[in-house]
Amino acid sequence: MNDLSDKIAPNRLTMHGNLVESKQQLKSDYLESMGIQPWFPRAVLANSLPPLQLSDDLDSEEDVAVVARLHAHQAAEGSSVNQAVSENPEAAQQKKVAQQPKAEVQKPNQKQKQKQKVPQARPVRFGLGLYVFGDWLVASSLIDDHALYQDQAISLAGNIVKAIEGQLSPLEYHHTISWPFFSNASADQGVDAARQYVSGVIDHLKEKHETSKLLVFGGVLPKLNSWPLTGRINDSTERLILPSLYKMMDEPALKARAWHEIQTSPFLHKQ
């Protein structure tokens, strides 16, 4: 009887070891199928909790039967452990969830870089004629049908410059600005953008034609730069602001007003 027990005991231990190894392999396969990588600390961390121990007890008949059926299924079908796990609906669902891409969790304080729509300034509309007479750069406000009266307006501007200087200065340059300038509806074409554009053109013409005086007709340029509508302005370029050329052609009384401004200015050539 003792001999028989001695023979059975080693076989039971061997079987017990195989079952333990099979259950460990089953756990590893579960973890791998769910995308979980086991990690074991090499040293005990300060204030750490005791490690969680999973029982490897296979003495129950239920555990033995589960492992035995697993080995029988592998031998008969030649399938992997992952396929056996997939037969369990709960494990398959866990595997499916693990394989889904993880949604990016945004930190509460993380700033999202979003394009903020900056409200565009309301477009302004105007026309401005730029002329060069000798040392004078002339900026004239234009009307809608200015092309019909353009020759008369230029002639009147030339006569006013002649009255100021005491001599005739021929027209050397003519340029027209029509604003809004850009065809793109999303472009900023408000007052600030218009002022910067017009100022750039005027500065270029002053440098190119070497003019030192600015004669302004009408309210377009004064309104863009917040200047008074009439009178003399003295800074880097001396300016004289007079009524609109087109209004003076239509209202002769404005010519008398303009002549008064000219006589009280330091620009009038006195013989």
Side-chain angles (χ1 to χ4, degrees):
M1 184 69 177
N2 293 334
D3 295 339
L4 183 59
S5 299
D6 295 339
K7 293 180 180 179
I8 294 176
N11 292 333
R12 181 175 178 82
L13 292 173
T14 303
M15 181 178 181
H16 183 277
N18 291 335
L19 292 177
V20 171
E21 182 180 356
S22 299
K23 190 171 183 180
Q24 289 287 357
Q25 182 64 38
L26 181 60
K27 291 178 182 179
S28 299
D29 292 336
Y30 264 109
L31 294 175
E32 182 180 357
S33 65
M34 290 188 291
I36 300 176
Q37 181 178 3
W39 177 83
F40 303 95
R42 296 181 179 270
V44 179
L45 301 178
N47 300 324
S48 62
L49 297 175
L52 178 63
Q53 298 292 339
L54 299 179
S55 175
D56 290 331
D57 184 12
L58 293 179
D59 289 339
S60 65
E61 294 182 358
E62 183 180 357
D63 291 335
V64 174
V66 170
V67 177
R69 285 197 302 270
L70 179 59
H71 282 292
H73 180 76
Q74 289 177 338
E77 301 294 335
S79 62
S80 64
V81 178
N82 287 335
Q83 291 174 330
V85 174
S86 66
E87 293 179 357
N88 187 334
E90 183 178 356
Q93 181 65 22
Q94 294 177 351
K95 181 177 180 180
K96 182 178 180 181
V97 172
Q99 291 177 348
Q100 292 179 353
K102 296 182 179 179
E104 183 180 355
V105 180
Q106 183 177 352
K107 297 180 180 179
N109 295 330
Q110 181 180 2
K111 294 182 180 179
Q112 294 182 348
K113 295 182 179 179
Q114 298 179 350
K115 293 183 178 179
Q116 298 180 352
K117 293 184 178 180
V118 179
Q120 294 291 344
R122 183 177 180 181
V124 293
R125 298 182 180 277
F126 63 85
L128 191 65
L130 298 175
Y131 318 104
V132 175
F133 292 93
D135 194 32
W136 287 88
L137 175 61
V138 177
S140 171
S141 301
L142 301 179
I143 58 177
D144 291 338
D145 55 350
H146 66 90
L148 299 176
Y149 310 97
Q150 180 172 272
D151 293 341
Q152 295 93 315
I154 294 176
S155 177
L156 178 57
N159 291 333
I160 292 176
V161 172
K162 178 182 178 181
I164 296 173
E165 291 289 333
Q167 61 182 1
L168 178 64
S169 297
L171 176 65
E172 300 178 10
Y173 178 82
H174 173 207
H175 176 67
T176 300
I177 294 177
S178 180
W179 193 270
F181 180 78
F182 305 101
S183 59
N184 187 357
S186 62
D188 182 4
Q189 304 199 68
V191 175
D192 291 340
R195 179 174 60 252
Q196 293 177 10
Y197 176 79
V198 172
S199 297
V201 174
I202 289 178
D203 290 342
H204 171 72
L205 293 179
K206 284 164 51 180
E207 181 180 356
K208 180 178 180 180
H209 296 277
E210 299 180 350
T211 60
S212 61
K213 302 172 186 176
L214 180 63
L215 181 59
V216 180
F217 293 102
V220 170
L221 200 57
K223 290 180 179 179
L224 285 178
N225 294 278
S226 300
W227 297 340
L229 295 181
T230 58
R232 175 195 175 196
I233 298 178
N234 187 6
D235 52 17
S236 59
T237 299
E238 292 186 324
R239 301 176 176 90
L240 179 61
I241 303 176
L242 301 177
S244 166
L245 290 172
Y246 299 92
K247 288 185 177 181
M248 283 193 288
M249 289 189 295
D250 189 51
E251 301 177 29
L254 293 178
K255 292 182 180 180
R257 176 182 168 185
W259 179 242
H260 174 74
E261 296 288 349
I262 293 171
Q263 287 182 318
T264 57
S265 73
F267 305 116
L268 181 64
H269 175 75
K270 297 179 180 180
Q271 297 180 349

